[in-house]
Amino acid sequence: MKTGLEALARQDYATASTRLQQALELDDSNALAWRMLAVAFDKQGEFAKAFTAYEAAARLAPNDLSVVREVGQLAYRLGKLEIAERLFQRFLAGEPGNEEVADSLACVFRDQNRYDEAFALLRDSINGNPEHPVLWNTLGTVLSESGDIAGAMVYYDEALRLDPGFHKARHNRAYCLTVLGESERALQDMDLASQGLTDPRQIASIRLAKAFTQLLTGDLVGGFDSYEARFDAASEGAFVFTEFGRRWELDDDLRGKSLLIYGEQGLGDEVLFANIISDTLNALGPDGRLIIAVERRLVTLFQRSFPQAKVLPHKTVRQFNTLFRTVDLGDQPAPIDVWTPMASLFRRFRTSLAAFPRDPGFLVPDPQRVAHWRQVLEDSGPGPYVGVLWKSMKMGGSRQRHYSPFTLWSPVLETPGVRFINLQYANAEEDLAAARSRGFDIWTPPGIDLKMDLDDLAALCAALDAVMGPSTATTNIAAAVGVRVFVSAGPGSWTGFGSDQAPCYPSARIFHATQFDQWEQVMRQMAEALSEELLSDHTSGSRPDAA
């Protein structure tokens, strides 16, 4: 145990965990050894093992509030919010004036969208200790995540007044400045914060934040270079890829090479960044060979769209806090020369807005299924036919502020003469029932799994006159097949790349909220665009033809 603690002190966490486990083999009732083992695992990113070790320490020392606090903090990092809440409440029952744990409990409330409870807890803590900058910073995050960006700035400013070296608060303020349109000040804050931060996770986070701000302002060269930070080992959700050949570099000549492209991030991003594939095929030339690894549900659609390439499903596994992505290449006629994540190719082919394609779509739906859905739609009633969706499958925490509440869709749904088609793939029954009670008929197409059958979803979208909703996998697919898409977007949307529209999707039109709590104006604008553009086209018979 002594040598384990010495290893822990010199940050040799692998040796520390080995020695402390050996100590526990001799005496598994040693609460301190379990606690220090938890620290060693935690530092190595082995959070599940750390949680188990902390639990053992807590059982052996049930009255040790410091262990209760540490288990709660790890439970919070693991996303076990209910467990973290119980542990923090237990700690505060024994030590009610502890600002650090009150702050942690407020973060739990915030992440559960319990903003009023978080605000009240932090207000009481600040009244007891107004000179504690961490409390002001967390209060800023509560307002920011609830959508009050301007209000959050007041609290970040106060945190930095109390502690000008509080770089986490500076990082948070930079995000607000970006959303408020003060990108230059935001970048200055990010640079200052990155110089002072020491936590690798915070450093990786601010590097990515800087990338998004650069892309938002149209600095595509600098932005996509900074975007490579998404592969930093400390970055949340970073992938480790199985390497075939060597990693592609910016100055590599692709002509005649065998290239493997990995799709990355989520479904929407895999579709968004796929507009680079045609440029890549041209760069490889007739003697080159392209293999594309994408999410399994996209394979058929991508293979039809890029017949010169071989499209395979990638496989992803999580080990502790790391995502590993690979692909089964099967029997290949020749080895892979180079590989790259898909978005990294934007560093070569998308250095300015002029470099984006002007064609309305780059994915090709199944023409027979498009014809099938057009017939189904006609049989359901007269058009025009407009697909609608209003939320993502993941709506927890701050994500919900990016989506207009469904209750605000009335201006759109009141548009006369439109047949609205349900494209919502997640938990839609309650919303659809509420819409029916208000007299809105949103028809759900039969015989399709809107979440899993993405190839048929692409065909259904292509059969529609338009699609309306926030940025999700569905709206990305609709825009990628060239359908007219009306997208609602919150402030600070980086995929405009310096414009107010969507360069990756010429057929899309973006409607920006100036603040997260001002969706009413966005929905009115979308309703007006629907009436002015779509209905006039339908009356004149000039229906746009996707694919």
Side-chain angles (χ1 to χ4, degrees):
M1 181 170 170
K2 179 181 177 182
T3 57
L5 295 177
E6 290 171 348
L8 199 61
R10 65 175 182 268
Q11 300 182 1
D12 181 359
Y13 303 119
T15 298
S17 58
T18 298
R19 292 298 191 187
L20 290 165
Q21 287 178 92
Q22 291 172 344
L24 287 164
E25 289 173 3
L26 298 171
D27 178 12
D28 64 1
S29 65
N30 190 317
L32 178 60
W34 280 112
R35 183 177 175 182
M36 294 300 101
L37 178 61
V39 173
F41 281 142
D42 193 355
K43 294 295 186 180
Q44 294 176 86
E46 299 188 27
F47 300 130
K49 290 183 178 180
F51 192 73
T52 299
Y54 271 131
E55 285 187 314
R59 284 194 299 270
L60 291 165
N63 297 320
D64 188 341
L65 289 180
S66 61
V67 176
V68 173
R69 179 189 64 229
E70 290 165 1
V71 181
Q73 289 170 341
L74 182 58
Y76 174 73
R77 291 206 301 277
L78 290 171
K80 301 177 183 292
L81 299 183
E82 293 181 0
I83 295 174
E85 180 181 348
R86 290 199 301 269
L87 291 166
F88 292 146
Q89 294 277 27
R90 177 179 163 189
F91 182 98
L92 289 172
E95 193 176 319
N98 189 289
E99 292 93 354
E100 178 187 352
V101 177
D103 181 79
S104 297
L105 180 58
C107 291
V108 172
F109 290 153
R110 177 199 64 202
D111 292 356
Q112 295 173 323
N113 302 333
R114 294 158 62 183
Y115 300 119
D116 291 343
E117 292 175 77
F119 192 92
L121 178 59
L122 289 165
R123 180 194 57 208
D124 292 344
S125 297
I126 287 174
N127 286 338
N129 186 2
E131 302 300 311
H132 199 320
V134 172
L135 298 173
W136 291 97
N137 173 67
T138 304
L139 195 50
T141 67
V142 172
L143 268 69
S144 174
E145 296 202 5
S146 67
D148 185 359
I149 301 298
M153 285 288 295
V154 175
Y155 298 103
Y156 294 140
D157 287 344
E158 178 62 13
L160 288 167
R161 185 191 69 79
L162 293 169
D163 181 5
F166 189 7
H167 297 293
K168 187 175 182 180
R170 195 174 298 280
H171 177 190
N172 291 333
R173 187 175 72 174
Y175 168 77
C176 290
L177 288 167
T178 298
V179 172
L180 293 171
E182 299 187 51
S183 299
E184 186 173 341
R185 283 186 62 198
L187 290 169
Q188 291 173 353
D189 263 359
M190 290 175 190
D191 288 338
L192 284 172
S194 62
Q195 294 168 16
L197 291 170
T198 57
D199 185 332
R201 286 172 290 192
Q202 293 181 11
I203 294 171
S205 176
I206 204 164
R207 288 181 64 200
L208 269 180
K210 181 176 181 179
F212 293 136
T213 302
Q214 289 173 301
L215 293 173
L216 174 68
T217 62
D219 178 10
L220 301 189
V221 174
F224 281 117
D225 187 57
S226 298
Y227 191 48
E228 293 296 291
R230 68 196 185 281
F231 302 121
D232 189 312
S235 181
E236 183 178 357
F239 286 107
V240 175
F241 296 94
T242 299
E243 300 194 7
F244 296 92
R246 62 179 179 79
R247 175 80 177 266
W248 173 80
E249 296 180 2
L250 184 58
D251 57 354
D252 281 342
D253 182 3
L254 289 174
R255 185 160 298 278
K257 294 290 194 302
S258 177
L259 172 66
L260 167 65
I261 296 177
Y262 276 109
E264 50 181 306
Q265 312 300 340
L267 264 174
D269 279 359
E270 290 200 20
V271 174
L272 174 82
F273 290 120
N275 82 84
I276 206 73
I277 292 177
S278 293
D279 302 76
T280 306
L281 285 165
N282 290 334
L284 290 168
D287 297 325
R289 186 164 61 100
L290 178 61
I291 299 172
I292 308 169
V294 293
E295 214 276 355
R296 182 174 298 276
R297 289 171 288 171
L298 292 173
V299 169
T300 302
L301 179 60
F302 271 56
Q303 188 63 78
R304 182 186 308 108
S305 305
F306 307 106
Q308 311 96 309
K310 182 173 184 178
V311 183
L312 299 169
H314 56 53
K315 300 177 181 179
T316 304
V317 296
R318 179 183 290 275
Q319 185 175 3
F320 304 117
N321 205 40
T322 302
L323 289 168
F324 294 88
R325 178 155 290 179
T326 188
V327 59
D328 183 0
L329 296 176
D331 296 327
Q332 292 296 315
I336 303 296
D337 296 316
V338 287
W339 69 274
T340 183
M342 189 180 292
S344 294
L345 290 164
F346 270 55
R347 299 168 66 205
R348 165 76 63 83
F349 298 109
R350 299 289 182 264
T351 57
S352 69
L353 286 176
F356 283 82
R358 297 292 184 267
D359 296 334
F362 53 86
L363 296 183
V364 180
D366 183 341
Q368 292 183 340
R369 294 301 296 174
V370 174
H372 162 79
W373 283 116
R374 284 180 176 161
Q375 186 61 56
V376 170
L377 291 168
E378 290 176 8
D379 292 343
S380 76
Y385 307 101
V386 177
V388 291
L389 63 155
W390 50 93
K391 61 184 177 181
S392 169
M393 287 189 65
K394 297 179 180 179
M395 294 290 287
S398 63
R399 285 182 60 87
Q400 69 173 4
R401 65 186 174 185
H402 294 276
Y403 302 88
S404 170
F406 188 55
T407 54
L408 300 181
W409 274 73
S410 295
V412 171
L413 299 176
E414 289 170 351
T415 306
V418 174
R419 180 72 157 150
F420 288 105
I421 310 301
N422 174 36
L423 297 181
Q424 184 60 56
Y425 51 83
N427 306 320
E429 292 76 13
E430 185 177 339
D431 290 335
L432 291 173
R436 284 192 296 271
S437 70
R438 294 158 59 197
F440 300 132
D441 180 23
I442 304 176
W443 184 70
T444 298
I448 181 172
D449 187 327
L450 295 168
K451 175 184 175 184
M452 300 304 296
D453 194 352
L454 299 186
D455 189 42
D456 210 24
L457 173 64
L460 172 59
C461 289
L464 297 169
D465 294 282
V467 171
M468 306 182 76
S471 179
T472 65
T474 299
T475 47
N476 275 271
I477 288 172
V481 300
V483 176
R484 188 199 315 253
V485 181
F486 301 121
V487 181
S488 59
S493 178
W494 60 272
T495 53
F497 303 121
S499 74
D500 62 354
Q501 290 305 307
C504 288
Y505 300 131
S507 67
R509 182 174 173 187
I510 315 300
F511 298 82
H512 293 276
T514 55
Q515 296 183 33
F516 284 116
D517 58 353
Q518 294 187 356
W519 291 108
E520 293 91 341
Q521 182 180 0
V522 169
M523 302 316 296
R524 286 196 299 269
Q525 290 172 344
M526 291 176 70
E528 291 169 3
L530 180 64
S531 296
E532 294 171 3
E533 297 181 26
L534 186 64
L535 295 184
S536 62
D537 286 351
H538 191 76
T539 302
S540 65
S542 58
R543 184 181 188 278
D545 219 357

